[in-house]
Amino acid sequence: MESKSSTKLYGIPEGKGPYSVGCTDLMTDYTIQGSFFRLYYPSQNGASSEETKWIPRKEYYRGLSDFLNMYRMLGETFFQYYVGSVTCPAKWNAAFKPGEKYPLIIFSHGLGAFRTIYSAICIEMASQGFIVVAVEHRDKSSSATYYHKENPGCEAQEEATENPNEEWIYYRKLKRSEQEFPLRNQQLQQRTEECIRALDLILDINNGNHVVNVLSLNFDWTLLKESIDTDRIAVMGHSFGAATAIKTLSKDTRFKGSVHQSFPDFTFLSGNFVGKIFRLKGEIDPNIAIDISNKASLAFLQKHLGLKKDFDQWDALVDGEGHNVIPGTNIDLPSTQPESLE
């Protein structure tokens, strides 16, 4: 029997909650100042059968190659072969499920990532009844991103390649002898503004305001009207995205809670050989690790957003109690006690 692709052995885990999950993209404005994010949300059952492509454009392969210090031609071939056919378990442009008030999460990705790379986390949250806005940052911390410079007309731009109306932005590496803090601080300020701008936009949609999607995707945004619980808004992030979450919390009081997630999607898609090369895998099974992380996050969110769910069953994980959980930190921190003078 002919073997299937590697996605049969390795795949992004499905959400474990009671809701079906859909996703779509939204890009506003024909400038770099516009918002760009992937939306994960509870969807109507059977609303779509179309699979969602995990990495939607080949330009992202080029960006990942740059970030990992690979030649672009080699990297593009490598990523196309290993993950080019990978889909994530959310239905593309599936109809949103109205009739409830859902808590909202704004999600910020880490360095070298982009809006689709944390779908395992975002899909799990959506399956548990959250609306998740996964922002794609344009501060040159993404491995790649883009915007439209002008109105592209009626073409389906998300399927286009080498489009002259698109401006691609790739990861900016530190220059030789350049200090890292000024660059990261500048990026952090921009990321924070992008998270707040995304929040403003999704709340405008919640209020029934019309939105123009530059990508011309077939999704009915009007179904989101009055579907967000505006008293329960959180910001989440991984790595540099965690720093973004903390900074965003300090600048906008609408956000009530934050949490640092641990794993991007690559850990589920790489075998042992590839995982060791790129340090994508730890010693623990990634499905066990993400399950622990997601449960702890849900317990944290219930506590700080005041949700009436059963996520408090995992409160012990937040306190560092449970199998494969380390209380406190496993990092050696410098002593805070002053040295004695002799």
Side-chain angles (χ1 to χ4, degrees), residues 107-111 118 236-242 260-264:
F107 188 92
S108 176
H109 62 72
L111 287 176
Y118 295 88
M236 297 172 61
H238 170 253
S239 191
F240 198 35
H260 184 188
Q261 290 285 1
S262 298
F263 302 107

Side-chain angles (χ1 to χ4, degrees), residues 150-194:
E150 57 186 86
N151 193 330
C154 299
E155 297 180 55
Q157 294 301 319
E158 193 66 10
E159 298 299 323
T161 57
E162 311 295 347
N163 190 293
N165 290 327
E166 294 175 354
E167 183 71 24
W168 279 86
I169 305 164
Y170 292 101
Y171 181 78
R172 181 195 179 301
K173 295 184 178 181
L174 284 173
K175 300 174 183 177
R176 185 171 298 179
S177 75
E178 180 183 13
Q179 294 295 315
E180 186 171 14
F181 178 78
L183 172 61
R184 298 296 180 233
N185 186 52
Q186 179 184 0
Q187 290 175 325
L188 188 62
Q189 301 298 327
Q190 180 174 334
R191 282 167 149 258
T192 300
E193 293 303 319
E194 288 171 338

Side-chain angles (χ1 to χ4, degrees), residues 184-197 199-200 233 235 242-258:
R184 298 296 180 233
N185 186 52
Q186 179 184 0
Q187 290 175 325
L188 188 62
Q189 301 298 327
Q190 180 174 334
R191 282 167 149 258
T192 300
E193 293 303 319
E194 288 171 338
C195 286
I196 294 173
R197 198 179 305 138
L199 175 60
D200 290 336
I233 300 172
V235 58
T244 305
I246 294 170
K247 182 66 174 179
T248 304
L249 278 168
S250 72
K251 295 195 68 172
D252 198 313
T253 58
R254 292 175 295 180
F255 293 105
K256 306 294 193 298
S258 68

Side-chain angles (χ1 to χ4, degrees), residues 1-274:
M1 180 182 292
E2 186 178 1
S3 63
K4 300 290 185 181
S5 68
S6 60
T7 57
K8 187 176 181 66
L9 296 176
Y10 307 105
I12 298 168
E14 295 183 356
K16 295 179 172 62
Y19 295 89
S20 298
V21 179
C23 70
T24 192
D25 287 335
L26 177 61
M27 182 189 292
T28 63
D29 197 3
Y30 294 103
T31 70
I32 197 173
Q33 284 75 34
S35 286
F36 187 21
F37 59 74
R38 174 154 289 189
L39 188 78
Y40 299 87
Y41 52 89
S43 64
Q44 298 179 30
N45 292 328
S48 172
S49 59
E50 185 178 355
E51 299 293 331
T52 297
K53 193 172 183 180
W54 181 51
I55 297 182
R57 302 286 297 273
K58 68 179 183 181
E59 287 85 354
Y60 289 103
Y61 299 145
R62 299 171 185 171
L64 288 169
S65 301
D66 292 347
F67 181 71
L68 295 172
N69 295 314
M70 299 173 66
Y71 289 111
R72 280 190 173 183
M73 184 175 296
L74 174 62
E76 186 173 337
T77 301
F78 176 86
F79 287 113
Q80 180 62 48
Y81 177 78
Y82 277 101
V83 301
S85 62
V86 170
T87 58
C88 63
K91 297 303 181 182
W92 184 240
N93 287 328
F96 178 81
K97 183 180 181 181
E100 297 184 44
K101 290 281 190 178
Y102 301 104
L104 175 68
I105 295 172
I106 306 294
F107 188 92
S108 176
H109 62 72
L111 287 176
F114 40 92
R115 72 190 188 282
T116 73
I117 294 299
Y118 295 88
S119 66
I121 296 170
C122 296
I123 288 172
E124 174 61 18
M125 296 298 142
S127 78
Q128 297 287 356
F130 290 82
I131 294 174
V132 185
V133 173
V135 178
E136 185 158 293
H137 292 294
R138 290 166 165 170
D139 61 334
K140 297 185 179 180
S141 68
S142 304
S143 58
T145 186
Y146 70 105
Y147 67 95
H148 284 292
K149 296 183 290 187
E150 57 186 86
N151 193 330
C154 299
E155 297 180 55
Q157 294 301 319
E158 193 66 10
E159 298 299 323
T161 57
E162 311 295 347
N163 190 293
N165 290 327
E166 294 175 354
E167 183 71 24
W168 279 86
I169 305 164
Y170 292 101
Y171 181 78
R172 181 195 179 301
K173 295 184 178 181
L174 284 173
K175 300 174 183 177
R176 185 171 298 179
S177 75
E178 180 183 13
Q179 294 295 315
E180 186 171 14
F181 178 78
L183 172 61
R184 298 296 180 233
N185 186 52
Q186 179 184 0
Q187 290 175 325
L188 188 62
Q189 301 298 327
Q190 180 174 334
R191 282 167 149 258
T192 300
E193 293 303 319
E194 288 171 338
C195 286
I196 294 173
R197 198 179 305 138
L199 175 60
D200 290 336
L201 177 59
I202 199 70
L203 291 182
D204 280 345
I205 294 171
N206 182 64
N207 290 332
N209 295 332
H210 178 65
V211 62
V212 176
N213 192 351
V214 171
L215 301 176
S216 302
L217 297 176
N218 184 28
F219 180 77
D220 187 359
W221 289 93
T222 64
L223 291 176
L224 273 73
K225 183 178 179 180
E226 299 180 353
S227 290
I228 294 175
D229 187 341
T230 56
D231 291 326
R232 292 179 170 86
I233 300 172
V235 58
M236 297 172 61
H238 170 253
S239 191
F240 198 35
T244 305
I246 294 170
K247 182 66 174 179
T248 304
L249 278 168
S250 72
K251 295 195 68 172
D252 198 313
T253 58
R254 292 175 295 180
F255 293 105
K256 306 294 193 298
S258 68
V259 65
H260 184 188
Q261 290 285 1
S262 298
F263 302 107
D265 291 338
F266 274 109
T267 192
F268 304 104
L269 303 172
S270 57
N272 290 331
F273 175 71
V274 175

Side-chain angles (χ1 to χ4, degrees), residues 338-342:
E339 297 181 1
S340 61
L341 298 177
E342 296 183 358

